[in-house]
Amino acid sequence: MPSSGPSWRRSHEEFGYLRPADPAEAVALLAADPHARYLGGGTNLVDLMKLGVERPRLLVDLGRLPLADIAPTGDGGLRIGALVRNADLAAHPLVRTAYPVLSQALLSGASGQLRNAATTGGNLLQRTRCLYFQDTAKPCNKRRPGSGCPAREGVHRDLAVLGHSEHCVATHPSDMAVALAALDATVALLGPDGARSLPLGDLHRLPGDRPDVEHRLLPGELITAVVLPPPGPGRSAYRKARDRASYAFALASVAAVLGVRDGRVTRVALAFGGVAPKPWRAWAAEDLLLGAPADEASFREAAEAELAAARPLRDNGFKVPLVRNLAVRVLSDLAEEAAG
Ligand SMILES: Cc1cc2nc3c(=O)[nH]c(=O)nc-3n(C[C@H](O)[C@H](O)[C@H](O)COP(=O)(O)OP(=O)(O)OC[C@H]3O[C@@H](n4cnc5c(N)ncnc54)[C@H](O)[C@@H]3O)c2cc1C
Ligand code: SF4
């Protein structure tokens, strides 16, 4: 493939490839062609192209953009460029010490090889692993709006128990995004009309009757960075349940941040993965926990309150106790650590 030059198209199987060096140029390319796609590490997009799920006319490779730095912010937080590789982010000393939940989430995902290629921006926008979504011979409302959702009656063991709709029960697959949700991260964006930012919790949409619209980016918008607030008091951890010990997506996962003083919860942030179409911030549980005794009974009561909204399907009811027990375990461990 040429490293730059005009796009070319002779059939649906061929696509153009450009490698701009300037973020504004990348945005202009995307804005000019609704069939263009950004290419991060390519570990998800290229797989979907091979399956025929994605058929871009133009790939805009982000590899030359100056967005691969991790730098402290003036207020004690951290700015993570969109092109920082998952492996580098997990290994960064500030991430490991100040935001262990993020490092642990990244290391629980994929394989070493994939983490070396996958980027921060691409990880956030990776698509669902629902089998029907990946199979173009099957209907799927997310791939082809209005065609139906065979997963509801079919294979849905891995799919959502929270936040889904009759139109789609897919889960968001990213581990990293769950940790970022618990950390109150912000996503920095650049679009044709300039820069803006979104709380990470607002980046992904619930499916409702439009499962094909997965996020709140405007046409052509590029993720340029993820910004973490200062770590604050307390400890954090990520725990993931999966079918195999490694190299598997979450059946359920929990990211938790917990601060404890005099036996009571002074700070808490809790997010669930593998159980919803987006990283699921457990606001109801957090409300109950703030000021409560930092003990197993409170953690169980809070997790159960959050999961009262769960609507499991025929074969995925096991996820409700699974995520509840994971949440209780990870919070109990953090409380024990705090007690020394
Ligand atoms: C076998 C296997 C196992 C895996 N296991 C796990 C797992 O356990 N946990 C987990 O979390 N992940 C897992 N993954 C997924 C992996 O983490 C993702 O494929 C990867 O993070 C995607 O990043 P990328 O840079 O390669 O994205 P790409 O494939 O390059 O892009 C993904 C999407 O993001 C868009 N995009 C990329 N960068 C930007 C940007 N800066 N701004 C706007 N849009 C952008 C692209 O256009 C595309 O739509 C697994 C993948 C494989 C193949
Ligand atoms: S769950 Fe969503 S992604 Fe899976 S088949 Fe149904 S509509 Fe498609």
Side-chain angles (χ1 to χ4, degrees), residues 182-247:
L183 290 171
D184 289 320
T186 299
V187 183
L189 303 169
L190 181 68
D193 296 327
R196 67 176 183 128
S197 62
L198 268 182
L200 184 111
D202 293 345
L203 177 65
H204 302 103
R205 281 183 75 256
L206 292 180
D209 60 0
R210 288 300 307 273
D212 54 314
V213 185
E214 296 177 335
H215 53 69
R216 293 200 165 79
L217 297 195
L218 301 172
E221 265 187 329
L222 173 74
I223 297 178
T224 54
V226 170
V227 182
L228 299 181
R235 292 155 193 271
S236 71
Y238 187 76
R239 200 152 304 169
K240 171 174 175 177
R242 49 190 159 179
D243 281 328
R244 291 186 306 272
S246 69
Y247 209 51

Side-chain angles (χ1 to χ4, degrees), residues 47-60:
D47 278 0
L48 292 175
M49 288 169 69
K50 288 182 196 158
L51 294 169
V53 174
E54 289 272 13
R55 309 188 82 161
R57 288 195 301 216
L58 174 66
L59 284 184
V60 176

Side-chain angles (χ1 to χ4, degrees), residues 38 40-45 110 119 123 125-126 174-175 223 240 248-249:
Y38 292 127
T43 61
N44 186 223
L45 180 58
T119 63
N123 187 297
L125 294 188
Q126 62 175 293
S174 167
D175 291 295
I223 297 178
K240 171 174 175 177
F249 289 90

Side-chain angles (χ1 to χ4, degrees), residues 128 130 132-133 139-143 148-151 159 167-170 211:
T128 183
C130 172
Y132 303 99
F133 173 74
C140 166
N141 285 330
K142 188 182 277 298
R143 209 172 3 82
C149 175
L159 302 185
H167 301 281
C168 182
V169 291

